[in-house]
């Protein structure tokens, strides 16, 4: 298969005519062919028109047809074989095992959403039967289901070229909900995006769905991205990326005549609290686990542990010494893009201006090499300086030394919203942990005990979300099956004849859903 | 009991010191004692500080304690007896039967949410068990529940002095979710607000809850309202009122360092589609039902039928003649406030400038008398003039005469978002109705067949919501038990020891919830 440098507008490969994006192999700094000219405003329009035309039919596909579509996308991605793996490696600098694992997650995610679609709980069917004899007024027959919001704009993430890109979590959950998707590809991996986009388009064709169910655009966020979010036919947005990028999309969405929801996953430093008994029992082992989580994938995870909080004292000193030792032994790793590398260097420089550097990893030849970094500061300084909470995307972390439990509480309360918060504890720490929990529940979407925040399971119970600025919408998750709920809205049908009702709401319950029927959940 | 003219900040009656609001009996134009001085910025602060202090304890109250609290509020409102009814009548101009009915709905609503709280489905508990042996990586134990967002600001509505005011739907659903509530009372019914506020405060005390669970403030929307929405401790907003008021609150919420959700129910003209066979069979009966729905409560309902759409021709002419006759025989009714009356007169004047007046109701002596009005226009004019879609709050409606089915479809597609859309049809109309349904599902939160949109049932299946500008958040309903979901967010607990888990998530399932356990719904 040859990469064409073209977008996919519906089923058609179409060349853009604006400034081209071109991938760079971050390990060598070399440009990768082909170039991808950016889409025009007219091409954004065309993709939106096709998505809109496809919406009414796609949203009423049966549960089995829609599930089969998701599974077909997974099959088609797997059928791309090694070409996809090698292109993703070249465009991201990520090693083969990681890309293969991410491909597995991406396809597994699509199949998990297929199961969720078939189970049908997301329809949230509620029936209140008519009570014609009720006094003083009869009650009508009222039936509720959930319907999809409409076409969704998805912005590919830099750090998951497969699992949070063209056919990643946002796309899978929006398609599962019944929403056509228009992806604005991330400029760092256009070739990977084109390959996966072709796989999705093949699945659309094989499943005989309207072509507008999926389009793939290239171009700049400022032009193509804002045009997409501003189009009246787009009804929701999924984004994973920087805080400034997410906020810009939120503002564009709010400035529309009809504002729409934006699910932007933006910025988190993922505080880790080390409690005294745990530190005393295993400071060195904790340091080892910490460094492994910190440096995994050059630290380029939304859930990277960028902040450690503990009581000062000899146990914490042991942890710091062991962590410093681990960091110093850590190899440099190629970062995803020159832009991310530059931002890491800037962020590390800013940390160095406010906190005490205690360790740096091994240096390496070649471009875009992320050297892990470790800093310490005091609770007092941390509380006085909001800049110490800025996310540094990459393998850098800051240890906050607290004088007492009250300072730990203050640091916790002072935190911005987070994707995760982690507690390392032993039996002797349970009381202190219990005291801190209410604060952490207000601050983060996922709380962990005795683990590390990197590694996000795709399952029913996962929450990859959290208060602003971790995300722009605390009511949601972008990973796991509950992500489907982001793209749905309730509709109530009053006194409809059975023949006009959608299947999910018909009296005979042909989909065999467990409805909430007259206040009782059906068995 | 004497009205004091004071606010309730936690359990304390506190006098404001800013410009006072004072109710007017709209039937006489006379001021009602006492005056209610507006709250200061400092008093807003105090209420927010108390709500914040109460949050961590209130949100972890057991399901039964929280349910009992909602029931106690209902009991305390009923215990106010006739004093409440008479004050609400005087402040609203609404008749006794309506106020008594609304009190019944208000208390019923609180008790319905108590049942919802006890059932616990809103916790949406999901458990994915640990799989320590899984390859290539073990799976952690992951458990999800929903937790409340935080303190909620509720803005009382003018048109439901009980059911959507101090202890109305927004307050009931927020308290049910576990959120403390600060109400900014509507200026039209401060005495009613004070009485109900005292009832809520008594329930807080009787249930031994922290006093900050509830506060009641008076003052202007621009000052007290915006200060409240801008306070960092407020985490969500419930509002029912004008489009301009709702948009102002949305903008204030978006301008915060941490933006928060605003659930504003704003503007809807509730299109009614009359299909040919139905019109032919019963044009006069439809007209009678229409006029009854239009003029009920002086048309002061969010779901008032402000737009009728049908094919031109002799059947529609019969409907128009009968509706005109009905309107002409309709008595004038006292509107809620002089401001609402003025806006009605202005709105009717604007309609008269763009559409053909066909009937006006009986006039009456005295202030603030709403004379029902009926207008007609053509589809072509309607499509050309967005002003014809502006909500006129009161008993005014516009009939759009369409040349063919395609014009009906165009009118439907041209509509802004709506709370409701209604279809009157007979068997012969089913095909045409089916063709229109996809459009109407995109436009409205509730679809009705052969009924009238006024009269909103409080039940599980109700959706009182819809696309912008009907509401600011299409993903939600403000009436019915699903309203609790507006004030919740998911949190995931990873590898927690049982003793640290909230009861809802403990391994023994002590709350006996039907969890989503390893992908299967428990029986």
């Amino acid at each position: 298969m040859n990469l064409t440098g073209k977008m996919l507008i519906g089923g058609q490969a179409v060349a853009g005519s604006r400034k081209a994006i071109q991938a760079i192999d971050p390990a060598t700094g070399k440009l990768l062919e082909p170039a991808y000219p950016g889409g025009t405003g007219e091409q954004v329009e065309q993709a939106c028109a096709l998505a809109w035309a496809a919406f009414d039919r796609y949203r009423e596909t049966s549960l089995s047809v829609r599930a089969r579509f998701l599974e077909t996308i997974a099959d088609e991605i797997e059928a791309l074989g090694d070409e996809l793996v090698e292109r993703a490696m070249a465009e991201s600098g990520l090693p083969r095992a990681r890309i293969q694992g991410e491909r597995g997650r991406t396809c597994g995610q699509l199949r998990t959403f297929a199961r969720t679609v078939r189970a049908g709980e997301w329809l949230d069917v509620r029936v209140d039967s008519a009570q014609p004899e009720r006094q003083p007024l009869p009650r009508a027959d009222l039936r509720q289901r959930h319907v999809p919001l409409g076409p969704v704009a998805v912005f590919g993430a830099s750090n998951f070229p497969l699992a949070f890109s063209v056919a990643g979590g946002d796309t899978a959950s929006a398609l599962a909900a019944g929403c056509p998707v228009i992806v604005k590809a991330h400029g760092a991996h256009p070739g990977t995006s084109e390959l996966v986009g072709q796989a999705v388009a093949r699945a659309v064709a094989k499943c005989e769905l309207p072509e507008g169910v999926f389009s793939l655009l290239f171009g700049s966020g400022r032009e193509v991205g804002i045009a997409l979010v501003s189009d009246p036919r787009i009804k929701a947005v999924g984004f994973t990326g920087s805080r400034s990028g997410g906020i810009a999309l939120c503002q564009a969405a709010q400035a529309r005549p009809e504002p729409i929801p934006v699910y932007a996953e933006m910025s988190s430093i993922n505080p880790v609290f080390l409690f005294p008994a745990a530190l005393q029992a295993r400071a060195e082992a904790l340091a080892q686990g910490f460094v492994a989580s910190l440096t995994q994938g050059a630290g380029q995870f939304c859930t990277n542990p960028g902040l450690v909080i503990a009581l000062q004292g000899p146990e914490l000193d042991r942890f710091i010494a062991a962590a410093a030792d681990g960091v110093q032994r850590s190899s440099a790793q190629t970062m995803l893009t020159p832009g991310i590398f530059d931002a890491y260097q800037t962020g590390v420089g800013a940390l160095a201006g406010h906190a005490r550097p205690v360790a740096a990893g091994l240096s390496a030849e070649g471009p875009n090499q992320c050297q892990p970094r470790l800093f310490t500061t005091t609770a007092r300084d941390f509380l006085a300086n909001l800049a110490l909470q800025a996310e540094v995307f990459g393998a850098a972390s800051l240890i906050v030394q607290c004088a007492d439990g009250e300072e730990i509480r203050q640091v916790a309360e002072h935190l911005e919203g987070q994707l995760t918060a982690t507690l390392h504890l032993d039996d002797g720490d349970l009381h202190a942990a219990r005291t801190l929990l209410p604060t952490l529940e207000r601050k983060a979407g996922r709380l962990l005990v005795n683990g590390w925040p990197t590694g996000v399971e795709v399952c029913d119970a996962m929450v990859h979300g959290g208060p602003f600025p971790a995300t722009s919408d605390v009511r949601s998750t972008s990973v796991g099956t509950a992500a489907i709920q982001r793209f749905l809205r309730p509709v109530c049908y009053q006194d409809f004849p059975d023949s006009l009702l959608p299947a999910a709401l018909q009296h005979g319950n042909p989909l065999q859903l467990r409805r909430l029927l007259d206040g009782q959940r059906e068995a």
Side-chain angles (χ1 to χ4, degrees), chain A residues 457-472:
Chain A
E457 187 76 31
V458 181
C459 60
D460 295 317
M462 178 50 61
V463 178
H464 190 67
F468 186 92
T471 76
S472 58

Side-chain angles (χ1 to χ4, degrees), chain A residues 111-369:
Chain A
R111 293 182 176 121
T112 299
F113 275 110
R115 282 195 293 277
T116 297
V117 167
R118 283 201 182 89
E121 289 209 356
W122 57 275
L123 288 160
D124 192 13
V125 170
R126 297 154 171 253
V127 176
D128 292 300
S129 307
Q131 296 176 351
E133 312 298 329
R134 190 181 67 172
Q135 294 299 332
L137 288 171
R139 183 170 83 178
D141 178 277
L142 293 153
R143 290 160 190 267
Q144 183 190 125
R145 67 165 177 168
H146 274 66
V147 301
L149 290 177
V152 172
V154 170
F155 291 79
S158 65
N159 61 337
F160 281 95
L162 297 172
F164 261 80
S165 187
V166 176
D170 286 336
T171 296
S173 50
L175 291 176
C179 300
V181 167
I182 302 175
V183 174
K184 209 288 277 173
H186 196 281
H189 50 264
T192 306
S193 297
E194 188 191 350
L195 289 171
V196 175
Q198 290 171 352
V200 179
R202 274 194 295 276
V204 170
K206 279 195 180 174
C207 296
E208 299 179 345
L209 296 171
E211 62 169 345
V213 165
F214 176 78
S215 287
L216 172 65
L217 303 175
F218 295 101
S220 85
R222 254 192 300 262
E223 286 182 35
V224 170
I226 296 295
L228 200 50
V229 172
S230 305
D231 190 284
R233 292 160 293 201
I234 295 295
K235 300 300 184 186
V237 178
F239 168 88
T240 300
S242 70
R243 186 166 176 167
S244 60
I247 288 173
L249 293 184
C250 289
Q251 287 170 344
Q254 283 296 320
R256 295 164 47 117
E258 178 200 18
I260 54 172
V262 176
Y263 301 100
E265 197 260 84
M266 297 181 286
S267 166
S268 182
I269 54 174
N270 304 295
V272 175
F273 294 84
L274 306 175
F275 285 89
L279 261 186
Q280 186 166 18
R282 50 178 188 281
E284 291 76 14
L286 286 172
Q288 198 176 359
F290 164 67
V291 173
S293 177
L294 175 68
T295 58
Q296 192 187 346
Q300 299 167 116
F301 292 109
C302 322
T303 53
N304 193 56
L307 194 70
V308 176
I309 298 142
L311 280 184
Q312 65 193 30
E315 284 77 19
L316 181 56
D317 293 342
R318 280 168 51 209
F319 174 87
I320 293 173
D325 185 57
V327 164
Q328 280 156 6
R329 295 164 185 269
S330 296
S331 304
Q333 292 173 74
T334 306
M335 297 196 88
L336 291 157
T337 70
I340 286 173
F341 174 72
D342 289 347
Y344 178 72
Q345 297 294 89
T346 304
V348 161
L351 272 181
H354 300 294
R356 193 169 72 85
V358 293
L362 300 168
S363 62
E365 296 294 307
N368 307 315
Q369 296 299 305

Side-chain angles (χ1 to χ4, degrees), chain A residues 66-76 110-111 114 118:
Chain A
R66 206 183 299 166
R68 191 72 205 105
F69 172 47
L70 296 170
E71 290 162 345
T72 305
I73 298 173
D75 296 344
E76 291 291 334
L110 286 157
R111 293 182 176 121
R118 283 201 182 89

